[in-house]
Short mmCIF file of all heavy atoms in Angstrom, two decimals:
data_model
loop_
_atom_site.label_atom_id
_atom_site.label_comp_id
_atom_site.label_asym_id
_atom_site.label_seq_id
_atom_site.Cartn_x
_atom_site.Cartn_y
_atom_site.Cartn_z
N GLU A 30 108.12 78.16 87.33
CA GLU A 30 108.75 77.61 86.10
C GLU A 30 109.66 78.40 85.38
O GLU A 30 110.69 78.23 84.82
CB GLU A 30 107.79 76.91 85.25
CG GLU A 30 107.15 75.58 85.76
CD GLU A 30 106.02 75.86 86.75
OE1 GLU A 30 105.28 77.00 86.66
OE2 GLU A 30 105.81 75.15 87.77
N THR A 31 109.11 79.72 85.11
CA THR A 31 109.80 80.77 84.23
C THR A 31 110.54 81.84 84.99
O THR A 31 111.38 82.44 84.48
CB THR A 31 108.68 81.43 83.34
OG1 THR A 31 107.87 82.23 84.15
CG2 THR A 31 107.88 80.47 82.55
N GLY A 32 110.25 82.03 86.31
CA GLY A 32 110.91 83.11 86.96
C GLY A 32 110.25 84.48 86.63
O GLY A 32 110.75 85.42 87.15
N LYS A 33 109.28 84.54 85.78
CA LYS A 33 108.66 85.80 85.36
C LYS A 33 107.65 86.24 86.46
O LYS A 33 106.93 85.42 87.00
CB LYS A 33 108.06 85.67 84.04
CG LYS A 33 109.11 85.48 82.93
CD LYS A 33 108.50 85.46 81.51
CE LYS A 33 109.65 85.30 80.52
NZ LYS A 33 109.09 85.28 79.10
N PRO A 34 107.49 87.47 86.46
CA PRO A 34 106.39 88.16 87.41
C PRO A 34 105.06 87.68 87.02
O PRO A 34 104.81 87.61 85.78
CB PRO A 34 106.56 89.54 87.28
CG PRO A 34 107.95 89.88 86.59
CD PRO A 34 108.18 88.61 85.84
N VAL A 35 104.25 87.52 87.95
CA VAL A 35 102.82 87.17 87.83
C VAL A 35 101.98 88.29 88.58
O VAL A 35 102.39 88.65 89.67
CB VAL A 35 102.43 85.78 88.36
CG1 VAL A 35 100.92 85.63 88.25
CG2 VAL A 35 103.25 84.72 87.73
N PHE A 36 101.05 88.84 87.83
CA PHE A 36 100.19 89.90 88.49
C PHE A 36 99.54 89.50 89.63
O PHE A 36 98.96 88.43 89.76
CB PHE A 36 99.17 90.39 87.40
CG PHE A 36 98.26 91.47 88.03
CD1 PHE A 36 98.73 92.81 88.09
CD2 PHE A 36 96.96 91.24 88.29
CE1 PHE A 36 97.93 93.82 88.73
CE2 PHE A 36 96.11 92.20 88.88
CZ PHE A 36 96.61 93.43 89.02
N ASP A 37 99.63 90.30 90.72
CA ASP A 37 99.11 90.01 92.05
C ASP A 37 98.59 91.43 92.56
O ASP A 37 99.39 92.19 93.12
CB ASP A 37 99.97 89.26 92.96
CG ASP A 37 99.21 88.98 94.28
OD1 ASP A 37 98.59 89.84 94.89
OD2 ASP A 37 99.48 87.75 94.74
N GLN A 38 97.26 91.72 92.52
CA GLN A 38 96.73 93.10 92.82
C GLN A 38 97.13 93.41 94.26
O GLN A 38 97.52 94.54 94.56
CB GLN A 38 95.26 93.14 92.57
CG GLN A 38 94.67 94.52 92.81
CD GLN A 38 95.15 95.47 91.77
OE1 GLN A 38 94.94 95.22 90.64
NE2 GLN A 38 95.69 96.60 92.24
N GLN A 39 97.00 92.53 95.18
CA GLN A 39 97.20 92.67 96.56
C GLN A 39 98.69 93.03 96.84
O GLN A 39 98.99 94.07 97.59
CB GLN A 39 96.80 91.56 97.52
CG GLN A 39 95.42 91.50 98.05
CD GLN A 39 95.23 90.49 98.98
OE1 GLN A 39 95.53 89.26 98.77
NE2 GLN A 39 94.73 90.76 100.17
N LEU A 40 99.62 92.35 96.28
CA LEU A 40 101.04 92.65 96.45
C LEU A 40 101.37 93.92 95.74
O LEU A 40 102.24 94.71 96.27
CB LEU A 40 101.85 91.43 95.86
CG LEU A 40 101.61 90.08 96.61
CD1 LEU A 40 102.55 89.05 95.90
CD2 LEU A 40 102.03 90.27 98.11
N ASP A 41 100.82 94.18 94.57
CA ASP A 41 101.01 95.44 93.86
C ASP A 41 100.59 96.73 94.81
O ASP A 41 101.35 97.69 94.85
CB ASP A 41 100.46 95.48 92.48
CG ASP A 41 101.16 94.62 91.53
OD1 ASP A 41 102.23 94.07 91.87
OD2 ASP A 41 100.60 94.52 90.41
N ASP A 42 99.37 96.53 95.33
CA ASP A 42 98.91 97.63 96.13
C ASP A 42 99.80 97.87 97.36
O ASP A 42 99.96 98.96 97.72
CB ASP A 42 97.36 97.32 96.60
CG ASP A 42 96.40 97.30 95.42
OD1 ASP A 42 96.72 97.93 94.33
OD2 ASP A 42 95.28 97.00 95.66
N ALA A 43 100.22 96.75 97.96
CA ALA A 43 100.98 96.79 99.18
C ALA A 43 102.46 97.60 98.86
O ALA A 43 102.93 98.37 99.55
CB ALA A 43 101.31 95.52 99.74
N ALA A 44 102.96 97.31 97.57
CA ALA A 44 104.13 97.86 97.20
C ALA A 44 103.95 99.34 96.96
O ALA A 44 104.84 100.23 97.35
CB ALA A 44 104.76 97.22 95.88
N ILE A 45 102.88 99.77 96.37
CA ILE A 45 102.58 101.19 96.10
C ILE A 45 102.46 101.90 97.42
O ILE A 45 102.93 102.92 97.68
CB ILE A 45 101.37 101.37 95.21
CG1 ILE A 45 101.70 100.87 93.86
CG2 ILE A 45 100.91 102.81 95.23
CD1 ILE A 45 100.58 100.64 92.95
N GLU A 46 101.67 101.23 98.40
CA GLU A 46 101.53 101.91 99.72
C GLU A 46 102.96 101.93 100.49
O GLU A 46 103.16 103.02 101.14
CB GLU A 46 100.49 101.13 100.51
CG GLU A 46 100.24 101.77 101.88
CD GLU A 46 99.80 103.17 101.77
OE1 GLU A 46 99.04 103.64 100.94
OE2 GLU A 46 100.28 104.01 102.71
N GLN A 47 103.70 100.99 100.34
CA GLN A 47 105.04 101.02 100.95
C GLN A 47 105.83 102.28 100.34
O GLN A 47 106.41 102.98 101.09
CB GLN A 47 105.82 99.73 100.72
CG GLN A 47 107.11 99.65 101.27
CD GLN A 47 107.78 98.22 101.03
OE1 GLN A 47 107.17 97.26 100.54
NE2 GLN A 47 109.05 98.16 101.37
N THR A 48 105.72 102.39 99.09
CA THR A 48 106.47 103.44 98.39
C THR A 48 105.91 104.77 98.95
O THR A 48 106.66 105.80 99.16
CB THR A 48 106.29 103.39 96.91
OG1 THR A 48 106.69 102.04 96.48
CG2 THR A 48 107.13 104.50 96.07
N PHE A 49 104.58 104.94 98.91
CA PHE A 49 104.00 106.19 99.36
C PHE A 49 104.42 106.50 100.88
O PHE A 49 104.70 107.57 101.20
CB PHE A 49 102.48 106.09 99.31
CG PHE A 49 101.89 106.41 98.02
CD1 PHE A 49 102.62 106.55 96.84
CD2 PHE A 49 100.43 106.60 97.84
CE1 PHE A 49 102.08 106.84 95.67
CE2 PHE A 49 99.92 106.89 96.63
CZ PHE A 49 100.72 107.00 95.46
N ALA A 50 104.54 105.38 101.63
CA ALA A 50 104.93 105.60 103.02
C ALA A 50 106.47 106.21 103.16
O ALA A 50 106.64 107.12 103.94
CB ALA A 50 104.89 104.37 103.84
N VAL A 51 107.22 105.65 102.27
CA VAL A 51 108.66 106.22 102.18
C VAL A 51 108.60 107.58 101.83
O VAL A 51 109.21 108.55 102.35
CB VAL A 51 109.52 105.46 101.25
CG1 VAL A 51 110.94 106.08 101.02
CG2 VAL A 51 109.74 103.99 101.82
N CYS A 52 107.79 108.01 100.80
CA CYS A 52 107.62 109.31 100.23
C CYS A 52 107.11 110.27 101.27
O CYS A 52 107.61 111.36 101.55
CB CYS A 52 106.78 109.34 99.02
SG CYS A 52 106.61 110.98 98.23
N ARG A 53 106.10 109.75 102.01
CA ARG A 53 105.47 110.68 103.08
C ARG A 53 106.45 110.89 104.16
O ARG A 53 106.60 112.00 104.72
CB ARG A 53 104.24 109.85 103.81
CG ARG A 53 102.97 109.90 102.96
CD ARG A 53 101.81 109.27 103.70
NE ARG A 53 100.64 109.30 102.78
CZ ARG A 53 100.20 108.22 102.22
NH1 ARG A 53 100.90 107.00 102.33
NH2 ARG A 53 99.28 108.32 101.40
N GLY A 54 107.23 109.86 104.51
CA GLY A 54 108.34 110.13 105.54
C GLY A 54 109.38 111.08 105.06
O GLY A 54 109.77 111.91 105.95
N ARG A 55 109.75 111.07 103.87
CA ARG A 55 110.82 111.97 103.33
C ARG A 55 110.33 113.45 103.25
O ARG A 55 111.14 114.37 103.42
CB ARG A 55 111.24 111.54 101.96
CG ARG A 55 112.11 110.34 101.93
CD ARG A 55 112.55 110.01 100.55
NE ARG A 55 113.34 108.78 100.47
CZ ARG A 55 113.74 108.24 99.38
NH1 ARG A 55 113.48 108.79 98.19
NH2 ARG A 55 114.40 107.09 99.39
N HIS A 56 109.08 113.54 102.96
CA HIS A 56 108.53 114.99 102.64
C HIS A 56 107.45 115.44 103.65
O HIS A 56 106.91 116.49 103.41
CB HIS A 56 108.00 115.00 101.27
CG HIS A 56 109.06 114.63 100.26
ND1 HIS A 56 110.06 115.48 99.90
CD2 HIS A 56 109.28 113.45 99.54
CE1 HIS A 56 110.91 114.94 99.00
NE2 HIS A 56 110.42 113.66 98.82
N ASP A 57 107.25 114.71 104.71
CA ASP A 57 106.26 115.11 105.71
C ASP A 57 104.91 115.23 105.20
O ASP A 57 104.09 116.28 105.54
CB ASP A 57 106.76 116.33 106.49
CG ASP A 57 106.02 116.47 107.84
OD1 ASP A 57 105.64 115.45 108.41
OD2 ASP A 57 105.95 117.59 108.30
N TYR A 58 104.54 114.44 104.13
CA TYR A 58 103.15 114.39 103.64
C TYR A 58 102.21 113.83 104.64
O TYR A 58 102.56 112.95 105.28
CB TYR A 58 103.01 113.64 102.30
CG TYR A 58 103.75 114.31 101.11
CD1 TYR A 58 104.61 113.62 100.43
CD2 TYR A 58 103.35 115.63 100.63
CE1 TYR A 58 105.22 114.21 99.26
CE2 TYR A 58 103.91 116.10 99.63
CZ TYR A 58 104.96 115.44 98.89
OH TYR A 58 105.42 116.02 97.79
N PHE A 59 101.04 114.40 104.68
CA PHE A 59 99.86 113.78 105.52
C PHE A 59 99.54 112.41 105.04
O PHE A 59 99.43 112.27 103.78
CB PHE A 59 98.71 114.72 105.65
CG PHE A 59 98.73 115.72 106.65
CD1 PHE A 59 99.67 116.81 106.47
CD2 PHE A 59 97.89 115.59 107.67
CE1 PHE A 59 99.65 117.75 107.63
CE2 PHE A 59 97.96 116.61 108.74
CZ PHE A 59 98.79 117.72 108.63
N SER A 60 99.28 111.46 105.90
CA SER A 60 98.86 110.13 105.50
C SER A 60 97.21 110.31 105.42
O SER A 60 96.68 111.28 105.98
CB SER A 60 99.17 109.11 106.52
OG SER A 60 98.46 109.28 107.77
N SER A 61 96.61 109.25 104.90
CA SER A 61 95.12 109.22 104.76
C SER A 61 94.58 109.39 106.20
O SER A 61 93.67 110.02 106.50
CB SER A 61 94.70 108.11 103.92
OG SER A 61 95.18 106.92 104.56
N GLN A 62 95.17 108.53 107.14
CA GLN A 62 94.67 108.47 108.50
C GLN A 62 94.87 109.87 109.20
O GLN A 62 94.04 110.28 109.91
CB GLN A 62 95.30 107.42 109.20
CG GLN A 62 94.69 107.18 110.63
CD GLN A 62 93.15 106.94 110.60
OE1 GLN A 62 92.74 106.08 109.88
NE2 GLN A 62 92.46 107.72 111.37
N ASP A 63 96.04 110.53 108.93
CA ASP A 63 96.32 111.89 109.46
C ASP A 63 95.13 112.82 109.08
O ASP A 63 94.75 113.64 109.83
CB ASP A 63 97.61 112.44 109.10
CG ASP A 63 98.82 111.67 109.55
OD1 ASP A 63 98.71 110.92 110.58
OD2 ASP A 63 99.91 111.74 108.91
N ILE A 64 94.77 112.75 107.80
CA ILE A 64 93.75 113.59 107.20
C ILE A 64 92.42 113.40 107.89
O ILE A 64 91.75 114.29 108.29
CB ILE A 64 93.76 113.66 105.74
CG1 ILE A 64 95.08 114.10 105.22
CG2 ILE A 64 92.56 114.43 105.23
CD1 ILE A 64 95.29 113.86 103.70
N VAL A 65 92.09 112.15 108.02
CA VAL A 65 90.76 111.71 108.64
C VAL A 65 90.77 112.21 110.18
O VAL A 65 89.85 112.79 110.53
CB VAL A 65 90.61 110.25 108.60
CG1 VAL A 65 89.40 109.78 109.48
CG2 VAL A 65 90.42 109.83 107.13
N THR A 66 91.85 111.96 110.86
CA THR A 66 91.99 112.45 112.17
C THR A 66 91.78 113.87 112.30
O THR A 66 91.15 114.42 113.20
CB THR A 66 93.24 111.86 112.84
OG1 THR A 66 93.38 110.49 112.71
CG2 THR A 66 93.46 112.35 114.23
#
Side-chain angles (χ1 to χ4, degrees):
E30 290 82 29
T31 66
K33 292 184 178 181
V35 175
F36 177 73
D37 185 311
Q38 186 69 53
Q39 271 189 305
L40 295 178
D41 287 355
D42 289 348
I45 291 167
E46 184 51 43
Q47 183 181 349
T48 306
F49 277 10
V51 170
C52 186
R53 283 186 185 100
R55 287 183 185 173
H56 301 285
D57 200 23
Y58 287 125
F59 271 69
S60 71
S61 58
Q62 188 56 52
D63 294 336
I64 295 169
V65 170
T66 300

